[in-house]
Amino acid sequence: TVPSNVDPKGISIVCSLCQQSIYPHHLFHHKKEHSALRRLGYSSPQTKTDNETLLARRQELISNLTKLPRYSESYRQKIDYSFEFLADKQTYSSCCHMDNINKSSTLKNVKNSLIKALSICQDKNATWQGNMEDRYIVLDNYGSRSDTCFLGLVDGYHGATAAEAVSAELPLLFLDQLAQTDSSYKKSMEEQKILDSFSTVITEDYRKKEKIFSDKQVNDKTNKPNTYKWIHKAYAKAFWRMDRLLQLGRNEVSKVRWSGCSVLTCLVERIHSAETASTEEIKRQSLEKHRHSPLARTSKGVAGLLHIANIGNTHAILCKNGKAYRLSEEHSTSNTRERKRILQGGGKISSNEPDGLVEGHLRTTRGLGHHGNPVLKRSVIPVPRTVSAPIDDSCQFLILASNGLWEVLDYHEVHALTLKTFTHYLRLYGGIQQNGTSLQKFQCLMSVSEEGLSDSKATNDQRDGTEILQSNADPFSDKTTSYTGQQLVETVLTGGSKPTPRSGRGTRVYLARSDAHTAAGGRVPVARLYDEAAGYVSEHLVRAALAAGSRDNVTVLIVLLNGCDKI
């Protein structure tokens, strides 16, 4: 039975533990079942037990516990709670009321040949949070470079002051570092003026300390050549300087506990075909270094690069050839290396469930800000984890999300839900893939139909979806004979006229779409298929997080890459 406050047409999620299809509003309870079974010693997540078996297992565990030299009352309580939870056969759903979700949207332009569409969806999660503390960054033509953009998510904590400052100033600090090494990155006069205003804070003595810090971060213990060392070093310096600026406490309200944030940034740049010999050598060295990685197995198809830096609990995943790859690292008390670092440095981690809190306040072990508590700040360091990864036409999605999504869904579940939602949208609103027609073949048919419906020649722009893509398969194979070009255009016109399902009130959606030529005499933009699909997917990810029991602000930034048309 689906509760009245949940969309009955919601798309199910495949649980990464037991591979069962679960509706989002039941996922929280479902994962608690897995946790309770593990606590009682059952290794298989699909174990089916009755109350008598559970009672016998509980008595056995308690008997073994009383024989230990150090009896733990808290562990005894966990055993009892797990037994009571599994013995209760009722099925509960999340308490998120979808009727209270608000909706507003705006549009942005991203002109990048690597990106077909970009969408951002946010919700403050009014059931648990009073304010929206997440911020996002989308900068096109970053550093006055074409086909280069800077993306970011900032997950605020204890206020949005630090998140506001980071979203405005971190891109400038990073650009300043890049421009010192690569002259193709340009700064405007206004940007340079803002950077000059920081000179009173970033003093010469501070720069010396900064150099020692940044040199340590790029030290590779494997002694392998790092082609993108200068970019990783630029990230390290930019994060270090941003943390120094937050130490000023500008606009902070509390005198005791200042705000802080987790940060995830991504520099997307294209490798042009007419690149210099030095750039060719950089690409060759990168692919040689990552030759065993599934992210870089085909050197000929490399179209661009992703340079990721993260700090805290915001994460990014790349979907490539139907598989998900996490490009970020978890900096929290659940990370054993981070726990070891804090404890060895003299810090303390409380015994709060599930993994404890740093100095009794914070779960994240790295972040920017938090200067109001000097004891806490000694353990929470501003050191980002950086990684560079090549992307090609086999890369389908790039997903950046705040903690509100990852606290209830792991990256396998997010990847599966993204694929399922994307294909669901194409079937439901695009009118394709019903008879095996792929999106790539759909584009070919749309291009042919445009030539017959318009006197002007369609622009050969891959981002508009009007280019006839090269493929070994015949786009007019028997599988698509039931559709003519005109029929497909009419199908899209009909499907496109339907209102796209939105998340309701409170969820903010931002679509970034390119300038597109239109099909059928200017009535429906071809690129609209990608734009609306990106918005549809981002909204469903946010809705799934809320329905699954998230208690944090939720922000999802999804990028449709060129490989999405091959799904």
Side-chain angles (χ1 to χ4, degrees), residues 269-319:
E269 60 175 352
R270 180 170 182 81
I271 299 178
H272 297 281
S273 57
E275 58 192 354
T276 62
S278 60
T279 308
E280 286 282 2
E281 179 64 18
I282 287 175
K283 183 173 68 174
R284 187 194 65 78
Q285 293 178 0
S286 173
L287 294 171
E288 175 65 22
K289 179 181 177 182
H290 299 90
R291 62 185 182 275
H292 299 301
S293 171
L295 288 175
R297 285 177 178 168
T298 56
S299 59
K300 293 182 180 180
V302 174
L305 294 166
L306 301 177
H307 304 287
I308 304 279
N310 88 288
I311 191 169
N313 55 11
T314 52
H315 295 292
I317 63 171
L318 177 66
C319 303

Side-chain angles (χ1 to χ4, degrees), residues 93-161:
S93 61
S94 66
C95 58
C96 176
H97 296 282
M98 295 296 179
D99 294 337
N100 296 330
I101 300 177
N102 293 318
K103 179 198 73 174
S104 62
S105 61
T106 187
L107 299 176
K108 290 179 177 291
N109 274 332
V110 173
K111 297 180 180 179
N112 192 301
S113 58
L114 297 172
I115 298 174
K116 288 187 177 293
L118 185 151
S119 173
I120 304 168
C121 186
Q122 293 183 300
D123 192 277
K124 76 172 184 178
N125 199 353
T127 303
W128 299 99
Q129 299 292 328
N131 300 298
M132 184 62 183
E133 298 177 348
D134 291 353
R135 298 294 184 269
Y136 69 92
I137 307 168
V138 178
L139 298 177
D140 196 19
N141 292 323
Y142 185 63
S144 300
R145 283 174 39 126
S146 60
D147 277 340
T148 302
C149 63
F150 185 80
L151 310 176
L153 286 183
V154 187
D155 190 341
Y157 176 78
H158 201 256
T161 303

